[in-house]
Amino acid sequence: MRDKLAEIGARLDNIYYCPHHPHAELKAFREDCNCRKPRTGLIDLALRDFDIDMTRSYVVGDRYVDIDFAKRASLAGVLVKTGYGMGEIEYKSEGNPVPEYMAEDLLDAVKWILEREGTVGEKSP
Ligand SMILES: [Zn+2]
């Protein structure tokens, strides 16, 4: 993924992931930890590593757990209709937090974020 992004001049500052699962077969990974969504442990790690402007940060995901995660972290949540998104909207929207935006796909999510940030048309460095 990093190589593909580098080909077009983009980069990821870091990748955070949770190796745990409450029912993992391997005992070493069997944990209901703070980094599993919707808990915000992974954002806490990123905040430790980087000076992140949380007022201009977003969560983009295809599940309501991602939107719940966004709300808990006081971030704007964007639900994409791709992946699990349409199924989530169809069967799980009741009782779940409302996303700031429902995007057709990741590109639509990016466009919405750029518009909201007022950076449409600006050239990246
Ligand atoms: Zn974890």
Side-chain angles (χ1 to χ4, degrees), residues 25-117:
E25 281 193 33
L26 293 174
K27 197 173 178 185
F29 298 106
R30 196 178 311 146
E31 186 182 338
D32 193 17
C33 64
N34 192 38
C35 49
R36 288 189 61 75
K37 293 180 292 184
R39 296 185 200 121
T40 58
L42 293 179
I43 285 184
D44 298 338
L45 284 178
L47 284 170
R48 186 197 62 195
D49 295 343
F50 297 97
D51 183 22
I52 298 170
D53 182 351
M54 295 291 279
T55 66
R56 300 184 63 217
S57 298
Y58 297 82
V59 173
V60 179
D62 66 347
R63 290 184 179 264
Y64 276 106
V65 70
D66 301 316
I67 305 307
D68 190 7
F69 167 70
K71 302 283 182 199
R72 289 179 187 217
S74 300
L75 298 170
V78 178
L79 186 67
V80 293
K81 294 179 181 176
T82 49
Y84 291 103
M86 281 309 288
E88 291 274 305
I89 292 164
E90 194 167 344
Y91 299 109
K92 296 186 180 172
S93 59
E94 197 173 309
N96 270 306
V98 177
E100 265 67 27
Y101 183 64
M102 284 200 202
E104 293 302 318
D105 52 26
L106 187 56
L107 180 60
D108 184 33
V110 170
K111 286 177 179 172
W112 181 79
I113 291 168
L114 292 176
E115 265 177 40
R116 191 171 142 126
E117 292 296 318

